[in-house]
Coordinates of all heavy atoms in Angstrom, one line a residue:
F30 N -14.1 -8.9 7.9 CA -15.1 -8.6 6.9 C -14.4 -7.9 5.7 O -15.1 -7.7 4.7 CB -16.1 -7.6 7.5 CG -17.1 -8.3 8.4 CD1 -17.2 -7.9 9.8 CD2 -17.9 -9.4 8.0 CE1 -18.0 -8.6 10.6 CE2 -18.7 -10.0 8.8 CZ -18.8 -9.7 10.2
M31 N -13.2 -7.6 5.7 CA -12.4 -7.0 4.6 C -11.5 -8.1 3.9 O -10.7 -7.7 3.1 CB -11.6 -5.8 5.0 CG -12.4 -4.7 5.5 SD -13.4 -3.9 4.2 CE -12.1 -3.0 3.4
D32 N -11.8 -9.3 4.2 CA -10.9 -10.3 3.7 C -11.0 -10.5 2.2 O -10.3 -11.4 1.5 CB -11.0 -11.7 4.4 CG -12.4 -12.3 4.2 OD1 -13.2 -11.7 3.6 OD2 -12.6 -13.4 4.9
N33 N -12.0 -9.9 1.6 CA -12.2 -10.0 0.1 C -11.4 -9.0 -0.6 O -11.3 -8.9 -1.9 CB -13.7 -9.8 -0.3 CG -14.2 -8.4 0.1 OD1 -13.8 -7.9 1.2 ND2 -15.1 -7.8 -0.7
V34 N -10.7 -8.1 0.1 CA -9.9 -7.0 -0.5 C -8.5 -7.6 -0.8 O -7.8 -8.1 0.1 CB -9.8 -5.8 0.4 CG1 -8.9 -4.8 -0.2 CG2 -11.1 -5.2 0.6
D35 N -8.0 -7.4 -2.0 CA -6.7 -7.9 -2.5 C -5.8 -6.8 -2.2 O -5.3 -6.0 -3.1 CB -6.8 -8.3 -3.9 CG -5.4 -9.1 -4.3 OD1 -4.4 -9.0 -3.6 OD2 -5.4 -9.6 -5.4
Y36 N -5.3 -6.7 -0.9 CA -4.3 -5.7 -0.5 C -3.0 -5.8 -1.2 O -2.3 -4.8 -1.5 CB -4.2 -5.7 1.0 CG -5.3 -5.1 1.8 CD1 -6.2 -6.0 2.5 CD2 -5.5 -3.8 1.8 CE1 -7.2 -5.4 3.2 CE2 -6.6 -3.2 2.6 CZ -7.4 -4.1 3.2 OH -8.5 -3.6 4.0
D37 N -2.6 -7.0 -1.5 CA -1.3 -7.2 -2.2 C -1.3 -6.6 -3.6 O -0.4 -5.9 -4.0 CB -1.0 -8.7 -2.3 CG -0.7 -9.4 -1.0 OD1 -0.2 -8.7 -0.1 OD2 -1.0 -10.6 -0.8
A38 N -2.4 -6.8 -4.3 CA -2.5 -6.2 -5.7 C -2.6 -4.7 -5.5 O -2.1 -3.9 -6.3 CB -3.7 -6.8 -6.4
W39 N -3.4 -4.2 -4.5 CA -3.6 -2.8 -4.3 C -2.2 -2.2 -4.0 O -1.9 -1.1 -4.5 CB -4.5 -2.6 -3.2 CG -5.2 -1.2 -3.1 CD1 -4.7 0.0 -3.6 CD2 -6.5 -0.9 -2.6 NE1 -5.7 0.9 -3.4 CE2 -6.8 0.4 -2.8 CE3 -7.5 -1.8 -2.0 CZ2 -7.9 1.0 -2.4 CZ3 -8.7 -1.1 -1.6 CH2 -8.9 0.2 -1.8
C40 N -1.4 -2.8 -3.2 CA -0.1 -2.3 -2.8 C 0.8 -2.3 -4.0 O 1.6 -1.3 -4.2 CB 0.6 -3.2 -1.7 SG 2.1 -2.6 -1.2
R41 N 0.8 -3.3 -4.9 CA 1.5 -3.2 -6.2 C 1.1 -2.1 -7.1 O 2.0 -1.4 -7.6 CB 1.4 -4.5 -6.9 CG 2.1 -5.7 -6.3 CD 2.2 -6.9 -7.3 NE 0.8 -7.4 -7.6 CZ 0.3 -8.4 -6.9 NH1 0.8 -8.9 -5.8 NH2 -1.0 -8.8 -7.2
Y42 N -0.1 -1.8 -7.1 CA -0.6 -0.6 -7.9 C -0.1 0.7 -7.3 O 0.4 1.6 -8.0 CB -2.1 -0.6 -7.9 CG -2.7 0.6 -8.6 CD1 -2.6 0.7 -10.0 CD2 -3.4 1.6 -7.9 CE1 -3.1 1.8 -10.7 CE2 -3.9 2.7 -8.6 CZ -3.8 2.8 -10.0 OH -4.3 3.9 -10.6
L43 N -0.2 0.8 -5.9 CA 0.2 2.0 -5.2 C 1.7 2.2 -5.3 O 2.2 3.3 -5.6 CB -0.2 1.9 -3.8 CG 0.0 3.1 -2.9 CD1 -0.6 4.4 -3.5 CD2 -0.6 2.8 -1.5
T44 N 2.5 1.2 -5.1 CA 4.0 1.3 -5.3 C 4.4 1.7 -6.7 O 5.3 2.4 -6.9 CB 4.7 0.1 -4.8 OG1 4.2 -1.1 -5.5 CG2 4.5 -0.1 -3.3
G45 N 3.6 1.2 -7.7 CA 3.8 1.5 -9.1 C 3.6 3.0 -9.3 O 4.4 3.7 -10.0
L46 N 2.5 3.5 -8.7 CA 2.3 5.0 -8.9 C 3.3 5.8 -8.1 O 3.8 6.8 -8.6 CB 0.9 5.3 -8.3 CG -0.3 5.3 -9.2 CD1 -1.5 5.7 -8.5 CD2 -0.1 6.2 -10.4
L47 N 3.7 5.3 -6.9 CA 4.7 6.1 -6.2 C 6.0 6.1 -7.0 O 6.7 7.2 -7.2 CB 5.0 5.4 -4.9 CG 4.0 5.6 -3.8 CD1 4.2 4.6 -2.6 CD2 4.0 7.1 -3.2
G48 N 6.4 5.0 -7.7 CA 7.6 4.9 -8.5 C 7.5 5.8 -9.7 O 8.5 6.5 -10.1
K49 N 6.3 5.9 -10.3 CA 6.1 6.6 -11.5 C 6.4 8.2 -11.2 O 6.8 8.9 -12.0 CB 4.7 6.5 -11.9 CG 4.3 7.3 -13.2 CD 2.9 7.0 -13.6 CE 2.5 7.9 -14.8 NZ 1.1 7.6 -15.2
F50 N 6.1 8.6 -9.9 CA 6.3 9.9 -9.5 C 7.5 10.2 -8.7 O 7.6 11.1 -7.9 CB 5.0 10.5 -8.8 CG 3.8 10.7 -9.8 CD1 2.9 9.7 -10.0 CD2 3.7 11.9 -10.5 CE1 1.8 9.9 -10.9 CE2 2.7 12.0 -11.4 CZ 1.7 11.0 -11.6
G51 N 8.4 9.2 -8.9 CA 9.8 9.4 -8.3 C 10.0 9.0 -6.9 O 11.0 9.4 -6.3
V52 N 9.0 8.3 -6.2 CA 9.2 7.9 -4.8 C 9.4 6.4 -4.8 O 8.5 5.7 -4.7 CB 8.0 8.3 -4.0 CG1 8.2 8.0 -2.5 CG2 7.6 9.8 -4.2
Q53 N 10.7 6.1 -4.8 CA 11.1 4.6 -4.8 C 11.3 4.1 -3.4 O 11.2 2.9 -3.1 CB 12.4 4.5 -5.6 CG 12.3 4.9 -7.1 CD 11.5 4.0 -8.0 OE1 11.0 3.0 -7.5 NE2 11.4 4.5 -9.2
D54 N 11.6 5.1 -2.5 CA 11.9 4.7 -1.1 C 11.7 5.9 -0.2 O 11.2 6.9 -0.6 CB 13.3 4.1 -0.9 CG 14.3 5.1 -1.5 OD1 14.1 6.3 -1.6 OD2 15.5 4.6 -1.8
G55 N 12.1 5.8 1.1 CA 12.0 6.9 2.0 C 10.8 6.9 2.9 O 10.1 5.9 2.9
L56 N 10.6 8.0 3.5 CA 9.5 8.1 4.5 C 8.2 8.4 3.8 O 8.0 9.4 3.0 CB 9.9 9.3 5.5 CG 9.1 9.3 6.8 CD1 9.2 8.1 7.6 CD2 9.7 10.5 7.6
V57 N 7.2 7.6 4.2 CA 5.9 7.7 3.6 C 4.8 7.7 4.7 O 4.9 6.9 5.6 CB 5.5 6.6 2.6 CG1 4.1 6.6 2.1 CG2 6.4 6.7 1.4
C58 N 3.8 8.6 4.7 CA 2.8 8.6 5.7 C 1.5 8.2 5.0 O 1.1 8.6 3.9 CB 2.6 10.1 6.2 SG 1.2 10.3 7.3
E59 N 0.8 7.3 5.8 CA -0.6 6.9 5.3 C -1.6 7.4 6.2 O -1.6 7.3 7.4 CB -0.7 5.3 5.3 CG -2.1 4.9 4.8 CD -2.3 3.4 4.9 OE1 -1.5 2.7 5.4 OE2 -3.4 3.0 4.5
L60 N -2.5 8.2 5.6 CA -3.7 8.7 6.3 C -4.9 7.8 6.3 O -5.2 7.2 5.2 CB -4.1 10.1 5.7 CG -3.1 11.2 5.6 CD1 -3.6 12.4 4.9 CD2 -2.6 11.6 7.0
G61 N -5.6 7.6 7.5 CA -6.6 6.7 7.5 C -6.1 5.3 7.4 O -6.7 4.4 6.7
C62 N -5.0 4.9 8.1 CA -4.4 3.6 8.0 C -5.1 2.4 8.5 O -4.8 1.3 8.2 CB -3.0 3.7 8.6 SG -3.0 3.9 10.4
G63 N -6.1 2.7 9.4 CA -6.9 1.6 9.9 C -6.1 0.6 10.7 O -5.3 1.0 11.5
T64 N -6.3 -0.7 10.4 CA -5.5 -1.7 11.2 C -4.2 -2.0 10.6 O -3.6 -3.0 10.9 CB -6.4 -3.0 11.2 OG1 -6.6 -3.5 9.9 CG2 -7.7 -2.8 11.9
G65 N -3.8 -1.2 9.6 CA -2.4 -1.3 9.1 C -2.2 -2.2 8.0 O -1.0 -2.6 7.7
N66 N -3.2 -2.6 7.3 CA -3.1 -3.6 6.2 C -2.2 -3.1 5.1 O -1.3 -3.8 4.6 CB -4.5 -4.0 5.6 CG -5.2 -4.8 6.6 OD1 -4.7 -5.7 7.2 ND2 -6.5 -4.5 6.8
M67 N -2.4 -1.8 4.7 CA -1.6 -1.3 3.6 C -0.2 -0.8 4.2 O 0.8 -0.9 3.5 CB -2.3 -0.1 2.9 CG -1.5 0.4 1.7 SD -1.2 -0.9 0.4 CE -2.9 -1.0 -0.2
T68 N -0.3 -0.2 5.4 CA 0.9 0.3 6.0 C 2.0 -0.8 6.1 O 3.2 -0.6 5.8 CB 0.7 0.8 7.4 OG1 -0.7 1.3 7.5 CG2 1.6 1.8 7.8
E69 N 1.6 -2.0 6.5 CA 2.5 -3.1 6.7 C 3.1 -3.5 5.3 O 4.3 -3.8 5.2 CB 1.9 -4.3 7.3 CG 1.5 -4.1 8.7 CD 2.1 -5.2 9.6 OE1 2.3 -6.4 9.2 OE2 2.4 -4.9 10.8
R70 N 2.3 -3.5 4.3 CA 2.7 -3.9 2.9 C 3.7 -2.9 2.4 O 4.7 -3.3 1.7 CB 1.5 -4.2 2.1 CG 0.8 -5.5 2.4 CD -0.6 -5.6 1.7 NE -1.2 -6.9 1.8 CZ -1.8 -7.3 2.9 NH1 -1.9 -6.5 4.0 NH2 -2.3 -8.5 3.0
L71 N 3.4 -1.6 2.6 CA 4.3 -0.6 2.1 C 5.7 -0.7 2.8 O 6.7 -0.4 2.3 CB 3.7 0.8 2.3 CG 2.6 1.1 1.3 CD1 1.8 2.4 1.6 CD2 3.1 1.1 -0.2
D72 N 5.6 -1.0 4.1 CA 6.8 -1.2 4.9 C 7.6 -2.4 4.3 O 8.8 -2.3 4.1 CB 6.5 -1.5 6.3 CG 7.7 -1.7 7.2 OD1 8.3 -0.7 7.7 OD2 8.1 -2.9 7.5
E73 N 6.9 -3.5 4.0 CA 7.5 -4.6 3.4 C 8.1 -4.3 2.0 O 9.2 -4.8 1.6 CB 6.5 -5.7 3.2 CG 7.0 -7.0 2.5 CD 8.0 -7.8 3.3 OE1 8.0 -7.6 4.6 OE2 8.8 -8.5 2.7
A74 N 7.5 -3.3 1.3 CA 8.0 -2.9 0.0 C 9.2 -2.0 0.1 O 9.8 -1.6 -1.0 CB 6.9 -2.2 -0.8
G75 N 9.6 -1.6 1.3 CA 10.9 -0.9 1.5 C 10.7 0.6 1.9 O 11.7 1.3 2.0

């Protein structure tokens, strides 16, 4: 039922914000990760 959410674009926005505030890599915790849609993409992002 969430297949209309563009998680790839959302992840690009999120990683852009992380980079803007100096977090290019390292350990990141996701709160309310659900079925891991964003968690997996952030893992893929490094």
Side-chain angles (χ1 to χ4, degrees):
F30 288 119
M31 294 292 284
D32 63 2
N33 62 323
V34 177
D35 191 343
Y36 284 106
D37 291 332
W39 203 331
C40 183
R41 287 193 295 272
Y42 177 70
L43 186 55
T44 54
L46 267 182
L47 286 166
K49 178 179 179 178
F50 288 93
V52 184
Q53 305 283 358
D54 54 20
L56 195 55
V57 173
C58 174
E59 181 183 4
L60 299 177
C62 66
T64 62
N66 290 317
M67 187 60 72
T68 329
E69 290 236 332
R70 285 166 172 82
L71 289 171
D72 181 84
E73 177 69 24

